[in-house]
Amino acid sequence: PELQQLAASLQVADLPRWLTVSTIILLAATVSSTVGFAFSAIAGAMILHYVPNGVEAVQTMMTASIGIQAYSVAGLWRSIQWSRCAPFILGGLAALPVGVVLLLHLEPRAYALAIGAALVAYGSYMLLRRPIVLKGGERRAADVLVGALGGITGPLAALPGTWLTIWCGLRGWDKVTQRAVYQPYILVMQLAGLGALFLARPQPGALDGAHLAYALPGLAGAVVGLRFFRWMSDTQLRSLSTTWAR
């Protein structure tokens, strides 16, 4: 019945686009699940080419990201310390309405330029970053601020985890500890962001079977990518991340 529902919701004219976007999601999910890059930073430019409506593109990336993060969080469940994640999540949820308002009110051209600038800035950082590690200690206020920045860029560009990924690297945590923080955060923020966008601007068919099915290629990419991730050492992962950024 689920497959029949999906087939019925996919118009013949929309099928090529759906398959193209799903292929982009699968490839981007595999890479992002391996190297830890933001999924939307990899897939965003290509998806915006096929889904020019900014809100629909963000909803598509959020849906796919939920599939990725759900699988990742399930695999990392025993390593997750929710007390460590809580400041980031609280900051993100508090700032989420700002990102929703920006997305809904930015003009398409300004939106495209903003997303392009964000992707260039993130790629440049990953390419040029140096191995800086902050000294130990609690930084709750900074954690909340970093979470709030993701709360803005989450609905705006389906990129809630960019700032937190950078912050976790600066804290010097190992690869599993980092993922046990930013992947639960991303999952919560994508779920909250998708729900907020749907409530703020309900659209016919926005969350129908065809749209929700974008989570499937995201999930498949996560399965493959996380297998590579578990095989790699921290050094190999950093080397691959730098190579991909170039």
Side-chain angles (χ1 to χ4, degrees), residues 8-246:
S9 63
L10 279 170
Q11 300 292 331
V12 174
D14 291 337
L15 188 58
R17 188 183 78 164
W18 189 88
L19 289 174
T20 301
V21 172
S22 294
T23 302
I24 292 170
I25 289 170
L26 174 63
L27 296 175
T30 301
V31 174
S32 68
S33 296
T34 303
V35 302
F37 277 33
F39 160 75
S40 299
I42 299 171
M46 293 181 286
I47 288 179
L48 280 168
H49 180 73
Y50 291 97
V51 186
N53 180 281
V55 175
E56 185 184 350
V58 168
Q59 288 177 325
T60 297
M61 289 187 284
M62 282 182 169
T63 303
S65 179
I66 287 169
I68 298 168
Q69 307 307 329
Y71 178 81
S72 301
V73 168
L76 292 167
W77 188 258
R78 294 183 179 178
S79 301
I80 296 172
Q81 296 181 28
W82 289 102
S83 60
R84 182 178 284 170
C85 301
F88 301 109
I89 293 173
L90 291 174
L93 293 175
L96 189 72
V98 178
V100 172
V101 170
L102 287 173
L103 174 63
L104 297 180
H105 290 86
L106 276 177
E107 301 224 349
R109 180 173 175 77
Y111 176 78
L113 288 173
I115 297 306
L119 296 178
V120 169
Y122 184 68
S124 299
Y125 169 79
M126 296 305 297
L127 177 61
L128 301 174
R129 63 179 176 170
R130 294 294 180 266
I132 300 172
V133 177
L134 300 176
K135 293 182 180 179
E138 294 294 332
R139 291 180 169 82
R140 295 293 183 181
D143 291 348
V144 172
L145 176 59
V146 171
L149 290 172
I152 296 172
T153 56
L156 184 58
L159 281 167
T162 302
W163 306 100
L164 185 50
T165 303
I166 294 171
W167 182 243
C168 287
L170 291 175
R171 298 298 295 271
W173 294 332
D174 64 74
K175 64 176 188 177
V176 174
T177 300
Q178 290 188 44
R179 290 207 167 191
V181 172
Y182 65 69
Q183 295 207 287
Y185 169 84
I186 294 172
L187 178 60
V188 171
M189 296 308 301
Q190 298 290 41
L191 286 168
L194 188 63
L197 283 176
F198 182 69
L199 292 174
R201 189 178 174 183
Q203 296 176 339
L207 294 177
D208 60 15
H211 188 90
L212 294 175
Y214 284 125
L216 297 178
L219 175 62
V223 172
V224 176
L226 280 175
R227 287 183 181 273
F228 287 116
F229 168 76
R230 292 191 181 102
W231 292 337
M232 297 169 68
S233 66
D234 288 347
T235 302
Q236 290 172 324
L237 193 63
R238 283 193 295 269
S239 176
L240 181 60
S241 298
T242 303
T243 300
W244 178 259
R246 290 174 180 171

